[in-house]
């Protein structure tokens, strides 16, 4: 005679195996059901923004004053001292401009020409200790008020580098402060930026057919995947 406890022990491995296979079959059926009922996701796309590559000009943002300092007067190039040595300013520390009407001083507390320009030699810039520098050394003048930004510029984390990323190489050109900022009004005016990177818009933006809009390689691949799912049945005769 078999003891009841022994009968239960003999049946428990069978029940465990049946339960395990039932669970596996259930998950497999659920996976097949989700695969057969799933649809290709529809990605909402904004219209492609096509811009003219000619708008990307690799160069300084503005033309800075060179040495010796000069500007066009009545169609002729004249040095600053050609006029300032003859026509002395009656109030060199004043903010009223009688000739340079295009200059708009909007540079914090620097509302006087002689804050930066030397009062006796207008072809040089004056430092706080009374020393003067030429226009090619404009960053030295700017560093007296913008020390943190100047140090970032020295390290290459502020400003623009051209030619090479290798600091100190002969190919690298570091733009000076006044090649990006207007010294009289250094804040950048508002302007419309170019479109940012978008993986759905990268690649050839030109049209690939008379009846097809411009599509990037990724867009064309997604479209082809959708077409394949609609036209190619699986081995079971159903769509994946």
């Amino acid at each position: 005679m078999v003891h009841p406890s022994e009968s239960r022990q003999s049946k428990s491995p069978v029940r465990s195996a049946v339960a395990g296979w039932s669970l596996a079959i259930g998950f497999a059926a659920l996976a097949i059901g989700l695969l057969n009922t799933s649809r290709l996701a529809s990605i909402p796309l904004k219209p492609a923004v096509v811009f003219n590559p000619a708008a990307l000009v690799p160069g300084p943002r503005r033309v800075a004053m060179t040495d010796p300092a000069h500007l066009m007067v009545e169609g002729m190039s004249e040095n600053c001292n050609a006029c300032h040595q003859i026509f002395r300013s009656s109030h060199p520390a004043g903010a009223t401009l009688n000739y340079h009407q295009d200059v708009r001083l909007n540079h914090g507390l620097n509302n006087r020409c002689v804050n930066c320009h030397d009062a006796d030699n207008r072809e040089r810039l004056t430092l706080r200790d009374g020393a003067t520098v030429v226009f090619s050394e404009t960053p030295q003048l700017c560093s007296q008020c913008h020390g943190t930004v100047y140090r970032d510029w020295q390290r290459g984390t502020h400003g623009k580098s051209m030619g090479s990323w290798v600091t100190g190489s002969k190919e690298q050109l570091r733009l000076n402060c006044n090649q990006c900022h207007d010294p009289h009004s250094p804040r950048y005016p508002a302007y419309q930026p170019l479109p940012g990177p978008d993986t759905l818009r990268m690649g050839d933006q030109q049209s690939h057919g008379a009846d097809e809009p411009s599509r990037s390689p990724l867009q064309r691949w997604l479209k082809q995947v959708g077409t394949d799912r609609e036209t190619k049945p699986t081995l079971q005769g159903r769509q994946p």
Side-chain angles (χ1 to χ4, degrees):
M1 183 175 180
V2 180
H3 194 275
S5 61
E6 295 179 358
S7 177
R8 287 193 298 270
Q9 291 177 1
S10 63
K11 292 181 180 179
S12 64
V14 177
R15 291 180 179 177
S16 299
V18 172
W21 279 105
S22 299
L23 186 62
I25 294 173
F27 276 116
L30 179 61
I32 294 174
L34 292 175
L35 182 62
N36 290 335
T37 57
S38 62
R39 296 291 183 269
L40 181 64
S42 177
I43 303 176
L45 301 176
K46 297 180 179 179
V49 179
V50 181
F51 63 92
N52 185 3
L56 301 177
V57 180
R61 184 174 178 270
R62 62 185 303 272
V63 178
M65 188 73 74
T66 58
D67 296 309
H70 67 281
L71 62 127
M72 301 302 294
V73 179
E74 301 296 335
M76 299 292 293
S77 178
E78 293 288 352
N79 293 348
C80 299
N81 289 335
C83 291
H84 282 276
Q85 287 181 345
I86 300 174
F87 306 100
R88 306 290 295 182
S89 300
S90 57
H91 301 285
T96 302
L97 297 176
N98 296 323
Y99 183 79
H100 299 286
Q101 297 295 326
D102 58 324
V103 175
R104 295 293 181 266
L105 288 176
N106 186 17
H107 195 164
L109 299 178
N110 294 305
N111 57 356
R112 303 184 306 168
C113 301
V114 293
N115 285 139
C116 296
H117 295 272
D118 185 65
D120 299 321
N121 186 353
R122 296 304 172 88
E123 296 178 12
R124 297 184 69 87
L125 304 171
T126 181
L127 305 180
R128 299 285 74 80
D129 61 358
T132 62
V133 295
V134 294
F135 277 75
S136 61
E137 299 179 12
T138 297
Q140 185 176 349
L141 171 66
C142 301
S143 67
Q144 297 184 118
C145 296
H146 306 281
T148 302
V149 178
Y150 175 73
R151 289 188 290 272
D152 290 341
W153 174 79
Q154 286 181 309
R155 297 184 179 97
T157 57
H158 181 92
K160 185 175 182 179
S161 298
M162 299 178 59
S164 173
W165 289 107
V166 181
T167 302
S169 66
K170 296 181 179 179
E171 292 79 13
Q172 187 185 63
L173 173 64
R174 291 286 297 151
L175 299 185
N176 287 344
C177 310
N178 55 340
Q179 290 181 285
C180 294
H181 299 276
D182 182 350
H184 304 114
S185 184
R187 182 184 295 274
Y188 278 9
Y191 59 90
Q192 184 67 31
L194 293 175
D198 188 344
T199 55
L200 295 178
R201 299 300 184 194
M202 288 181 176
D204 187 5
Q205 298 186 17
Q206 302 302 319
S207 176
H208 293 272
D211 56 346
E212 182 178 349
S214 299
R215 294 179 182 271
S216 70
L218 181 56
Q219 286 179 292
R220 295 195 294 274
W221 178 82
L222 288 174
K223 181 182 179 182
Q224 185 61 42
V225 169
T227 303
D228 293 343
R229 289 194 175 189
E230 294 175 358
T231 59
K232 296 180 181 179
T234 62
L235 294 178
Q236 292 79 18
R238 301 190 55 134
Q239 300 298 323

